[in-house]
Amino acid sequence: MSDLETYRAKAAAWLETMVPDFGRDARQGLSEADDLALGRRYQKAKFDAGYAGINWPVEYGGQGLGHLEKISFDAEEMKHGFPNFYFGISLGMPVPILMQFGGDKAFVKERVLKALKGEEIWCQLFSEPAAGSDLAGLRTKAEADGNGWKINGQKVWTSWAHYSDYGVIVVRTDPNVPKHKGLTYFWVDMKAPGVTVRQIKLAGGDSHVNEVFFDDVKIGDDHRMSPVGGGFAVAIATLMIERYVATDSAGFGPHLDLFVELAKEIEINGKPAIEDGRIRQQIARNHAMRAGLDSINVRARLMMEAGMIPGAEGSLNKLVAVRSRQKLSELAIDLRGSDGFAFDEHASQREDWTSSWINAPTGRIAGGSDETLLNTIAEKVLGLPQDHRPDKGVPFNEIPV
Amino acid sequence: MSDLETYRAKAAAWLETMVPDFGRDARQGLSEADDLALGRRYQKAKFDAGYAGINWPVEYGGQGLGHLEKISFDAEEMKHGFPNFYFGISLGMPVPILMQFGGDKAFVKERVLKALKGEEIWCQLFSEPAAGSDLAGLRTKAEADGNGWKINGQKVWTSWAHYSDYGVIVVRTDPNVPKHKGLTYFWVDMKAPGVTVRQIKLAGGDSHVNEVFFDDVKIGDDHRMSPVGGGFAVAIATLMIERYVATDSAGFGPHLDLFVELAKEIEINGKPAIEDGRIRQQIARNHAMRAGLDSINVRARLMMEAGMIPGAEGSLNKLVAVRSRQKLSELAIDLRGSDGFAFDEHASQREDWTSSWINAPTGRIAGGSDETLLNTIAEKVLGLPQDHRPDKGVPFNEIPV
Amino acid sequence: MSILYDEGQQAIATESRRALEARMRKDDLLPLLEVTGRFHEGFWTMAKEQGWTALALPEAYGGLDLGLIELGLIAHQAGRTLSGAPFLTSSFGAAKAIELYGSDAQKARWLPGLAGGDTIGAVAFASGADALPVKPGITFVGDRLDGTLTGVSAAGAANVAVVLAMGADGPVLAIADLTNAERRIVPSFDNSRCVADLHFKETPAEALTAGGSARDAALHILALQAVITAHEQTGGAEALMEIARDYAITRRAFGQVIGAFQSVKHRIAELYGLVELARANCIHAASREGQDDFITAAAAARLSATEAYDTAARDCVQIHGGIGVTWEIGLHLHMRRSRSLAIEQGNSLFWEDVMVDRLAGEAA
Amino acid sequence: MSILYDEGQQAIATESRRALEARMRKDDLLPLLEVTGRFHEGFWTMAKEQGWTALALPEAYGGLDLGLIELGLIAHQAGRTLSGAPFLTSSFGAAKAIELYGSDAQKARWLPGLAGGDTIGAVAFASGADALPVKPGITFVGDRLDGTLTGVSAAGAANVAVVLAMGADGPVLAIADLTNAERRIVPSFDNSRCVADLHFKETPAEALTAGGSARDAALHILALQAVITAHEQTGGAEALMEIARDYAITRRAFGQVIGAFQSVKHRIAELYGLVELARANCIHAASREGQDDFITAAAAARLSATEAYDTAARDCVQIHGGIGVTWEIGLHLHMRRSRSLAIEQGNSLFWEDVMVDRLAGEAA
């Protein structure tokens, strides 16, 4: 057994011991507040056992191990349905960025430690009503105010803001220069006066994203995490982490085996649907697609193990997998026919086709829309030209709205 | 029976009498030269019987009837595989445009009459190597030369130029104004000194399109069919005819019945392919698509009969039908399996799936590419904005190449 | 032969559109998603007042003697505004079954109420994926129904149901007063469709037609309903296409309206194509009632309309980006409706099979 | 487990690419479309000289003892440059059948020639749409073959064929010297594939394996060939994607390069996705030879590679506009090849069925 295999086996064994207290069954029927509380206890247990911050520096409370240990642990952890998603964004992007770009080291250390223990949660305040794919078009502004800054404006699609203690934020500090050049990156206290969080209900019924309003929110200049006017680069660094975190050939929907099972149970024209060419075709095509993504992911891991940089094909995962999952989920509903109306809004989108279907559009938009991903591949990988952008080089306050 | 039905029945009966001399079987094995000669005799027979220029003015040798009589005749004529395609472009676009925009009426009358009798053929010289979808980007130029003009440059994709006596042509007469504004429309004698025609062989093996080179070709100003600088409008008028001529829900490929027959003959896993869900799905989807197009076409005819203007949905025909035909033809080849390699380059694309497949790309490009058609629908029908066009308003000779 | 709408038909379209656009509000429809057993009462009141319930039924029983074409026009408009209840189609289907196959006594008993809209009908043929089972899972013996039918649209509110049951000598098309059946509401992603399971236990019922013809009769009723549903789907797809277009010409990104990006622009143009193909097939199918090719025409309408609505729902949300997946903007009302209509009256797989059996010259 | 290519393998890829790009010319390939019974001799000479013919065969018989991974790398490059003959795959398939199922005498007779490339092999299992008939249409009785196999790639030039025939006690995998068979060239849209019908009339042949295992053996050979063909298809798709990209960044319309239009730009990005999925499945499949999931992995490679090449052929031509359909530019060489490779070694329908039978845990 390689070191990595040993590590993985040990982690798997530890995770098994967590199942009775924190697993899928233990969470059944909990209110969100109770589930969050359970989640905080689970995160603390991970920290105590040395499974929080696996690949983070020891000086910040991490374990100082590699990316491979981290993804091995994640793969094992994923099996049990633990209440860990409250910390996914927090530990995924803002806190690592804080470690890299935060100024006051003592303060940063304290925050990182509390985040790793599940005591504090961070959110990421990027998108705005008028700036989704076009991040640099954002309007929330910070004006110089004494030795610090005063923030006014509105953010949107902020996951878990309603539970967050802190957030990282990109704002416009200079409207007189082209849009990318007038942005600055800060952290903010989400409990500060003038910060208002309002939950947004999504199409499928849940509400983990928010609008966040800033009304004369005052922060010191020590909150600044980029040069003035240099915030866009830090924002992109944040998003780059996001793109490489998410790989799942099921597109965060159900495993294909569940579709095969469904097709075996259901009859079309008196025969199991699994014998119908149309169903077989979809199973085969989806399997081939997922097998391709799996192979890409495995190769990427092997390359990282060998100290190489994986190819750009890793960026296909979300684009290809979520789009396919949407249509396959529709077919599953079709297949169930008159039994297909039934809906449980608490069902998991990884286990239930209807939940998978209703949440698929969010997956095709969040974290880079299909169109943004296609543009990225076309421009960054293939060298095709950027789209026409009339706002390029134009001072932000001269762009027509 | 309505007048129209009577007309159609009579036409059908006359066409039947032409089958022995000019029908599919009579053409079998003829060289192209012999087939063209046969075609000229067939066109003359049509003229003598009053079936040439059905909806053209009587003063030009036409019959003065309506569009409905014309399409009724065409629908009947299509069944027999007559050698009429040599005259399709000639009588479809250039000659009607000549009637409308030609100057010297006596000359025009003589030309129209000879074209209707199949004695003369006209071609349409629009596309250029650097100007396909972007017609107004053309470079062939006409410079003032005494009382007339001197043409230099190159056209391409000119159908039947190698058999043509005359052609209509759009050329640049002023490179100092934005591209749409510097064009003028002329007719030219294809036998004039300096005109060189070179056949282009297409992917499927045939060569009915040409490159045409103009080398100091001199024409009089009486050849001019538009104001100087006003040629683009006449060119568009020519293309508008083209868009509305072509409706065929089979996308100019084989009838769906031929696919159903194939699926009944061929076995997959020991059962007729017609019982396989994948094949059934394609048949059903293609039938639904074609039935929709047929219904659109029938309604358009009914509206014209009732004196109304048909809706924009008629513009879907070529886009939807040819694209679908391409994939269905591929499936037919797949279905034939190891018998699918066989290829007869003289087979008709309306009767043979392999011929249909190999010629489908031409259908998706000629007469408006898929992308051009989508843009037209988006802009003209739905009011979506034009694409970014950096050359808009820029003098032609300042556009970077 | 496809038809051109005459002046009366055009007036029906215009008038119903005006009435529905004035009454139907997203904010009234959203709350209906979060309760079961409720529908939009305002919609149904309007359907009764405007005579839509009577439209395609015989004059002798309180109807207006119009047909599929006119009811289709209403359904198209109802689809645009997301209607608020499934009864336009379900009551029509039940009434047509009684009109075409019932006795005079049965007609006299049920049709006036259905034409007036005070009686609500449901049609319950499907068993899961099978829209029209060869061997129905419920029995009809001694004028009593026994067994369960799952996921019946409208059943949560209906007074009467037309069912396909297994009798002593084969399938029977039967009718039952639902006061004598137990119904259990199915919590659904589109609750105003009033989906319920129907449990029959010695429930009194009457035969409409039996033997070999019962299944043909059921298919005919299903096809009639499919044509109406296809109109509703086409209306929904058309509305989504217009919403996407309107958003694309106002929403700006990267300094221009997003409709200038071909990924958005061409997608909307493709939706236009799907909507027009569906519309053309709907018009054609509605004009073919009573002709040999009616079932095939209905299948074509159904297939193209389902594709149009599903695709429009996917693409319209995608074009909107983040805002498209919020509860409040309500695009998910269409997204949900596109799926509930896709499985009512049989899914696409079913209609593909029905069509190909006919095209290939085989029995259904 | 997918693999990373080691240095030796990377050298094979680099070297074969260099050699092929130096030798293979569109202008040499175009004329081959217009004659029958010819292939690109230069390609085959190179294959022999470079040892590609010997690559995946046992050292004991003149081979290099490498495997699917290495031969796949060559096939990928051959696909990029449109190869010029089908024998890389067909001779390999025939040789593997002999190596895996033949006697020592059979190996000694045939393998050295196949490894050297002077003997050309063909594999002939299909009967029309059926890539692997349960009841083969030709018979093997008394060591004699009788019957006809239509549309066999490579058969126009092959010396030896491996066939699936019906013996007295079920299917037999047999081998025949083709000097004793009649072959009739099939005029094809891709003539350098040397497609021919094989007519056997009391043609002497020898069994390799018989009984229930013969069909499994044939499927295994087909899967081995499918993995090689999938590499070739992926190479072709990759080349088309690059050609489309290169054209899109140079060709101008409306004052800008056409790659700035999203309809072009996104289409090429989608091709990138199809190519990378196909490549990933090819690499994976090549590494699974001898494992339980080999057939499924081969099917995945085959399905994604066929989709990639077909789509790339359609889209690359479309992006080129008029110039794309000319004979001279030669994109139709890829278009034709995409279809001939799609039907060699069984069409997509066949591989879908093979895959789903396995995923669903049923017999093939």
Side-chain angles (χ1 to χ4, degrees):
Chain A
M1 234 196 243
S2 72
D3 287 355
L4 190 61
E5 284 162 338
T6 310
Y7 180 86
R8 185 170 183 142
K10 212 177 129 196
W14 179 80
L15 285 161
E16 282 293 343
T17 69
M18 294 293 109
V19 168
D21 285 349
F22 302 113
R24 202 173 279 115
D25 294 343
R27 296 172 62 195
Q28 200 68 38
L30 291 188
S31 69
E32 192 167 289
D34 288 345
D35 193 53
L36 171 61
L38 190 75
R40 290 190 194 269
R41 290 201 299 280
Y42 171 66
Q43 185 63 30
K44 180 64 165 54
K46 276 171 73 173
F47 181 84
D48 293 341
Y51 290 119
I54 291 170
N55 55 341
W56 291 10
V58 178
E59 57 166 317
Y60 285 106
Q63 301 300 317
L65 299 173
H67 186 60
L68 295 169
E69 281 81 3
K70 169 80 167 89
I71 53 183
S72 299
F73 180 86
D74 289 352
E76 291 299 327
E77 186 186 35
M78 203 160 68
K79 299 173 182 170
H80 305 292
F82 293 126
N84 56 355
F85 59 167
Y86 305 105
F87 313 102
I89 302 271
S90 176
L91 301 177
M93 281 79 75
V95 176
I97 288 289
L98 182 75
M99 284 193 284
Q100 197 180 343
F101 296 98
D104 175 348
K105 288 301 161 199
F107 172 81
V108 169
K109 264 193 197 170
E110 191 183 336
R111 296 281 76 72
V112 173
L113 218 57
K114 287 197 182 254
L116 277 179
K117 290 178 185 169
E119 293 169 14
E120 291 177 357
I121 295 175
W122 285 65
C123 61
Q124 174 176 317
L125 300 142
F126 280 21
S127 292
E128 296 190 6
S133 298
D134 179 13
L135 174 63
L138 60 83
R139 310 187 155 274
T140 297
K141 62 184 177 184
E143 294 159 302
D145 179 69
N147 290 333
W149 302 82
K150 191 176 67 184
I151 302 179
N152 277 289
Q154 181 195 349
K155 294 288 177 178
V156 74
W157 314 127
T158 316
S159 294
W160 309 116
H162 53 307
Y163 296 135
S164 288
D165 301 282
Y166 298 95
V168 292
I169 188 168
V170 201
V171 294
R172 185 164 307 280
T173 44
D174 185 353
N176 301 302
V177 293
K179 62 181 188 175
H180 294 79
K181 301 190 172 160
L183 306 177
T184 306
Y185 200 105
F186 295 94
W187 63 264
V188 290
D189 182 346
M190 292 294 287
K191 311 296 184 198
V195 178
T196 311
V197 175
R198 197 151 70 197
Q199 283 178 264
I200 297 172
K201 191 167 172 179
L202 292 181
D206 85 59
S207 311
H208 75 276
V209 296
N210 301 273
E211 295 176 294
V212 184
F213 299 88
F214 292 86
D215 187 14
D216 281 346
V217 176
K218 294 183 181 178
I219 56 173
D221 191 52
D222 56 344
H223 286 213
R224 187 157 53 78
M225 295 168 67
S226 78
V228 174
F232 192 68
V234 181
I236 291 299
T238 318
L239 292 176
M240 280 296 114
I241 301 179
E242 188 167 340
R243 296 281 152 81
Y244 288 96
V245 161
T247 57
D248 170 28
S249 70
F252 312 101
H255 196 281
L256 195 60
D257 287 350
L258 294 177
F259 194 91
V260 173
E261 273 174 40
L262 180 71
K264 284 175 159 181
E265 283 162 18
I266 282 179
E267 292 203 344
I268 296 178
N269 297 325
K271 283 180 297 190
I274 192 80
E275 293 177 18
D276 187 290
R278 294 165 290 196
I279 306 306
R280 295 169 78 78
Q281 185 159 55
Q282 291 312 313
I283 292 171
R285 298 287 164 156
N286 276 278
H287 177 83
M289 181 272 290
R290 293 176 179 207
L293 291 177
D294 287 339
S295 173
I296 286 173
N297 296 340
V298 170
R299 266 196 301 157
R301 214 175 63 206
L302 290 172
M303 291 189 84
M304 289 190 282
E305 278 185 27
M308 297 184 275
I309 297 166
E313 63 275 12
S315 59
L316 291 170
N317 205 306
K318 191 179 98 70
L319 170 68
V320 172
V322 184
R323 204 166 52 177
S324 309
R325 163 195 148 197
Q326 184 175 37
K327 288 197 180 181
L328 190 67
S329 302
E330 288 177 12
L331 181 60
I333 294 172
D334 267 335
L335 258 189
R336 298 186 65 217
S338 67
D339 297 327
F341 293 105
F343 179 55
D344 169 7
E345 75 170 34
H346 302 294
S348 158
Q349 68 176 32
R350 288 186 166 281
E351 287 160 23
D352 178 88
W353 290 105
T354 311
S355 175
S356 167
W357 156 70
I358 211 160
N359 289 300
T362 309
R364 287 183 59 193
I365 292 160
S369 69
D370 290 2
E371 293 72 25
T372 303
L373 298 174
L374 284 168
N375 265 355
T376 304
I377 291 167
E379 294 167 21
K380 300 282 154 52
V381 183
L382 303 175
L384 286 158
Q386 213 184 27
D387 292 330
H388 171 57
R389 298 192 167 177
D391 59 355
K392 214 167 175 178
V394 177
F396 182 74
N397 51 15
E398 290 172 23
I399 298 171
V401 290
Chain B
M1 235 195 239
S2 73
D3 286 357
L4 190 61
E5 284 162 337
T6 311
Y7 179 87
R8 185 170 183 142
K10 212 176 129 197
W14 180 80
L15 285 161
E16 282 294 343
T17 69
M18 294 294 108
V19 169
D21 285 349
F22 303 112
R24 201 172 281 116
D25 293 343
R27 297 172 61 196
Q28 201 70 38
L30 290 188
S31 70
E32 194 168 287
D34 288 344
D35 193 52
L36 171 61
L38 190 75
R40 291 190 194 270
R41 290 201 299 280
Y42 172 66
Q43 185 64 31
K44 180 64 164 53
K46 276 171 74 174
F47 181 82
D48 292 341
Y51 290 119
I54 290 171
N55 56 340
W56 290 11
V58 178
E59 58 166 314
Y60 286 107
Q63 301 299 317
L65 299 173
H67 186 61
L68 295 170
E69 281 80 2
K70 169 81 166 88
I71 52 184
S72 299
F73 180 86
D74 288 353
E76 291 298 327
E77 187 186 35
M78 203 161 68
K79 298 173 183 170
H80 305 291
F82 293 124
N84 56 355
F85 58 166
Y86 304 105
F87 314 102
I89 303 269
S90 176
L91 301 176
M93 280 80 73
V95 177
I97 288 290
L98 182 74
M99 283 193 284
Q100 197 180 343
F101 295 99
D104 176 348
K105 286 302 161 199
F107 172 81
V108 168
K109 262 193 201 172
E110 190 183 338
R111 296 281 77 68
V112 173
L113 218 58
K114 285 194 183 258
L116 277 181
K117 291 180 186 170
E119 294 169 14
E120 291 176 357
I121 295 176
W122 285 65
C123 62
Q124 174 176 317
L125 299 144
F126 281 20
S127 292
E128 295 188 7
S133 298
D134 180 12
L135 174 62
L138 61 84
R139 308 186 158 274
T140 298
K141 63 183 177 185
E143 294 160 301
D145 180 69
N147 290 332
W149 302 83
K150 191 176 65 185
I151 302 178
N152 278 289
Q154 182 195 349
K155 295 288 177 178
V156 74
W157 314 127
T158 315
S159 294
W160 308 118
H162 53 307
Y163 295 135
S164 288
D165 302 282
Y166 299 95
V168 292
I169 188 168
V170 201
V171 295
R172 185 164 308 280
T173 45
D174 186 353
N176 301 301
V177 293
K179 63 181 187 177
H180 294 78
K181 301 191 173 162
L183 307 178
T184 305
Y185 200 106
F186 296 93
W187 63 265
V188 290
D189 181 347
M190 293 294 287
K191 311 298 183 198
V195 178
T196 310
V197 175
R198 196 150 72 196
Q199 283 178 265
I200 298 172
K201 192 167 173 181
L202 293 180
D206 83 60
S207 310
H208 75 277
V209 295
N210 301 272
E211 294 178 292
V212 183
F213 298 89
F214 292 86
D215 188 13
D216 282 344
V217 176
K218 294 185 182 178
I219 56 173
D221 192 51
D222 57 343
H223 286 214
R224 186 158 54 77
M225 293 168 66
S226 78
V228 175
F232 192 68
V234 181
I236 291 299
T238 318
L239 292 176
M240 281 296 114
I241 301 179
E242 187 167 342
R243 296 281 152 82
Y244 288 95
V245 162
T247 57
D248 171 29
S249 70
F252 312 100
H255 196 281
L256 195 59
D257 287 350
L258 293 177
F259 194 91
V260 172
E261 272 174 42
L262 180 70
K264 284 175 160 182
E265 282 162 19
I266 283 177
E267 292 203 345
I268 298 178
N269 297 325
K271 281 179 300 189
I274 191 80
E275 292 177 20
D276 187 292
R278 293 165 290 196
I279 306 306
R280 295 169 77 78
Q281 185 158 55
Q282 292 312 313
I283 291 172
R285 298 288 166 153
N286 277 280
H287 177 84
M289 181 272 290
R290 293 176 179 205
L293 291 176
D294 288 339
S295 174
I296 285 172
N297 296 341
V298 170
R299 266 196 302 157
R301 216 176 61 205
L302 290 173
M303 292 188 82
M304 289 190 281
E305 279 185 25
M308 296 184 276
I309 297 165
E313 63 274 11
S315 58
L316 293 168
N317 206 305
K318 189 178 100 71
L319 170 68
V320 172
V322 184
R323 204 165 54 177
S324 309
R325 162 196 148 196
Q326 185 176 37
K327 288 197 180 182
L328 191 66
S329 303
E330 288 176 12
L331 182 60
I333 294 171
D334 267 335
L335 258 189
R336 299 186 65 217
S338 67
D339 297 326
F341 293 105
F343 179 53
D344 170 7
E345 77 170 31
H346 301 295
S348 157
Q349 67 175 32
R350 288 187 167 278
E351 287 160 23
D352 178 89
W353 290 104
T354 311
S355 174
S356 167
W357 156 71
I358 211 161
N359 289 300
T362 310
R364 287 183 60 193
I365 292 160
S369 70
D370 290 2
E371 294 71 25
T372 303
L373 297 174
L374 285 168
N375 265 355
T376 303
I377 291 167
E379 294 169 19
K380 299 281 153 52
V381 183
L382 302 175
L384 287 158
Q386 212 183 27
D387 292 331
H388 171 57
R389 299 192 166 176
D391 58 356
K392 214 168 174 176
V394 177
F396 183 75
N397 51 15
E398 290 172 22
I399 299 170
V401 290
Chain C
M1 179 65 75
S2 294
I3 51 100
L4 294 185
Y5 293 133
D6 63 28
E7 275 179 32
Q9 289 160 340
Q10 279 165 2
I12 289 175
T14 314
E15 180 55 23
S16 59
R17 177 161 182 168
R18 195 199 50 73
L20 283 162
E21 287 185 349
R23 178 83 68 97
M24 302 303 294
R25 291 269 166 271
K26 177 180 75 180
D27 293 343
D28 298 333
L29 294 168
L30 282 171
L32 291 175
L33 294 177
E34 304 192 281
V35 292
T36 55
R38 296 262 320 276
F39 57 89
H40 191 290
E41 313 237 353
F43 169 75
W44 194 236
T45 304
M46 183 185 295
K48 291 190 271 191
E49 286 172 2
Q50 302 273 339
W52 300 339
T53 53
L55 210 61
L57 299 185
E59 213 170 342
Y61 298 99
L64 296 171
D65 251 349
L66 295 168
L68 272 186
I69 294 169
E70 291 79 7
L71 188 58
L73 284 168
I74 303 289
H76 179 94
Q77 300 302 334
R80 283 184 62 91
T81 48
L82 285 156
S83 78
F87 317 136
L88 211 58
T89 307
S90 70
S91 282
F92 164 72
K96 286 301 277 188
I98 297 163
E99 180 198 336
L100 294 174
Y101 309 108
S103 65
D104 286 346
Q106 287 166 333
K107 291 181 204 177
R109 178 174 172 200
W110 293 110
L111 290 184
L114 288 163
D118 296 320
T119 303
I120 289 175
V123 174
F125 298 154
S127 167
D130 200 345
L132 204 60
V134 173
K135 291 182 188 164
I138 62 169
T139 59
F140 177 77
V141 178
D143 289 343
R144 292 281 187 280
L145 286 173
D146 280 278
T148 295
L149 289 166
T150 56
V152 180
S153 277
N159 308 101
V160 58
V162 172
V163 302
L164 190 65
M166 191 50 98
D169 309 310
V172 180
L173 195 67
I175 182 166
D177 187 327
L178 289 179
T179 46
N180 304 308
E182 187 196 336
R183 52 190 125 194
R184 215 167 292 157
I185 299 288
V186 176
S188 144
F189 53 79
D190 192 11
N191 278 324
S192 69
R193 302 310 283 178
C194 301
V195 176
D197 296 342
L198 289 178
H199 303 273
F200 299 110
K201 197 170 174 189
E202 298 191 17
T203 304
E206 296 176 15
L208 291 171
T209 182
S213 64
R215 197 163 183 276
D216 289 344
L219 178 59
H220 185 68
I221 297 302
L222 208 54
L224 288 170
Q225 292 186 294
V227 172
I228 301 305
T229 300
H231 278 84
E232 192 172 344
Q233 292 172 302
T234 305
E238 181 186 71
L240 285 169
M241 188 266 287
E242 292 173 9
I243 291 168
R245 191 261 325 266
D246 293 347
Y247 190 72
I249 58 178
T250 48
R251 169 80 180 180
R252 300 179 74 88
F254 305 108
Q256 60 185 347
V257 295
I258 62 170
F261 292 104
Q262 284 187 335
S263 65
V264 171
K265 180 178 176 175
H266 286 186
R267 191 173 285 178
I268 299 173
E270 298 277 11
L271 289 184
Y272 172 81
L274 292 174
V275 168
E276 291 306 325
L277 288 174
R279 188 202 313 279
N281 277 326
C282 283
I283 295 174
H284 181 68
S287 74
R288 301 304 294 168
E289 191 184 350
Q291 309 295 318
D292 284 350
D293 62 356
F294 174 61
I295 300 285
T296 313
R302 175 73 174 147
L303 289 174
S304 51
T306 301
E307 186 183 359
Y309 204 12
D310 273 342
T311 309
R314 257 182 252 122
D315 288 357
C316 183
V317 172
Q318 184 69 19
I319 285 167
H320 277 71
I323 195 82
V325 296
T326 59
W327 183 270
E328 259 180 88
I329 199 177
L331 290 181
H332 61 104
L333 284 163
H334 274 298
M335 187 180 134
R336 291 162 187 258
R337 183 62 44 82
S338 71
R339 285 278 88 209
S340 49
L341 294 186
I343 49 181
E344 289 181 9
Q345 343 310 348
N347 62 22
S348 292
L349 301 166
F350 172 81
W351 287 106
E352 284 168 3
D353 284 336
V354 166
M355 181 191 274
V356 176
D357 284 345
R358 273 160 184 74
L359 293 178
E362 295 158 32
Chain D
M1 180 62 76
S2 294
I3 52 100
L4 295 185
Y5 293 133
D6 63 27
E7 275 178 34
Q9 289 159 342
Q10 280 165 2
I12 288 175
T14 314
E15 179 56 24
S16 58
R17 178 164 181 165
R18 194 199 52 71
L20 282 161
E21 287 184 350
R23 176 83 67 99
M24 302 304 294
R25 292 270 166 271
K26 178 180 74 180
D27 293 342
D28 298 333
L29 294 168
L30 283 170
L32 290 176
L33 294 177
E34 304 192 279
V35 291
T36 55
R38 297 261 320 276
F39 57 89
H40 191 290
E41 313 238 352
F43 170 76
W44 195 236
T45 304
M46 182 186 297
K48 290 189 271 191
E49 285 171 4
Q50 302 273 339
W52 301 339
T53 51
L55 209 62
L57 300 186
E59 213 170 341
Y61 299 98
L64 297 171
D65 251 348
L66 295 168
L68 272 186
I69 294 170
E70 290 79 7
L71 187 58
L73 284 168
I74 303 290
H76 179 94
Q77 299 303 335
R80 283 185 61 92
T81 47
L82 285 155
S83 79
F87 317 136
L88 212 57
T89 308
S90 69
S91 283
F92 165 71
K96 285 301 278 190
I98 297 162
E99 179 198 339
L100 294 174
Y101 310 109
S103 65
D104 286 346
Q106 287 165 334
K107 291 182 206 180
R109 177 175 172 200
W110 293 110
L111 290 185
L114 287 163
D118 295 321
T119 302
I120 289 175
V123 174
F125 298 155
S127 168
D130 201 345
L132 204 60
V134 174
K135 292 184 188 162
I138 60 169
T139 59
F140 177 77
V141 178
D143 288 342
R144 290 282 187 280
L145 286 174
D146 281 277
T148 296
L149 289 166
T150 58
V152 180
S153 278
N159 308 102
V160 58
V162 173
V163 302
L164 190 65
M166 190 51 95
D169 309 311
V172 180
L173 195 65
I175 182 167
D177 188 325
L178 289 180
T179 44
N180 304 307
E182 188 197 337
R183 50 191 127 192
R184 215 166 293 158
I185 298 289
V186 176
S188 146
F189 53 80
D190 192 11
N191 278 324
S192 69
R193 304 308 284 178
C194 302
V195 176
D197 297 341
L198 289 177
H199 302 273
F200 299 110
K201 198 168 175 192
E202 298 191 19
T203 304
E206 295 176 17
L208 292 171
T209 182
S213 64
R215 196 162 185 277
D216 289 345
L219 178 60
H220 185 69
I221 296 303
L222 207 54
L224 288 170
Q225 291 185 296
V227 173
I228 300 306
T229 301
H231 278 83
E232 192 173 344
Q233 292 172 301
T234 304
E238 181 186 72
L240 285 169
M241 189 265 288
E242 292 172 9
I243 292 168
R245 191 262 322 269
D246 293 347
Y247 189 73
I249 57 178
T250 47
R251 168 81 181 180
R252 300 179 74 88
F254 304 108
Q256 60 184 346
V257 296
I258 62 170
F261 292 104
Q262 284 188 335
S263 63
V264 172
K265 179 178 176 176
H266 287 186
R267 190 172 287 177
I268 299 173
E270 298 279 10
L271 289 185
Y272 172 81
L274 292 174
V275 168
E276 292 305 324
L277 288 174
R279 186 201 315 278
N281 277 326
C282 282
I283 295 174
H284 181 68
S287 75
R288 301 304 293 168
E289 190 183 351
Q291 309 296 318
D292 284 349
D293 62 356
F294 173 61
I295 300 285
T296 313
R302 175 74 175 147
L303 289 174
S304 51
T306 301
E307 186 183 358
Y309 204 11
D310 273 342
T311 308
R314 256 182 253 122
D315 289 356
C316 184
V317 172
Q318 183 68 20
I319 284 167
H320 278 70
I323 196 83
V325 295
T326 58
W327 183 269
E328 259 180 87
I329 200 178
L331 290 181
H332 61 105
L333 284 164
H334 273 297
M335 188 180 134
R336 292 163 187 258
R337 183 62 45 81
S338 72
R339 285 278 86 208
S340 50
L341 294 186
I343 48 181
E344 288 180 10
Q345 344 308 348
N347 63 22
S348 292
L349 301 165
F350 172 81
W351 287 106
E352 285 168 3
D353 284 335
V354 165
M355 180 191 274
V356 175
D357 284 346
R358 273 158 184 74
L359 293 178
E362 296 158 31

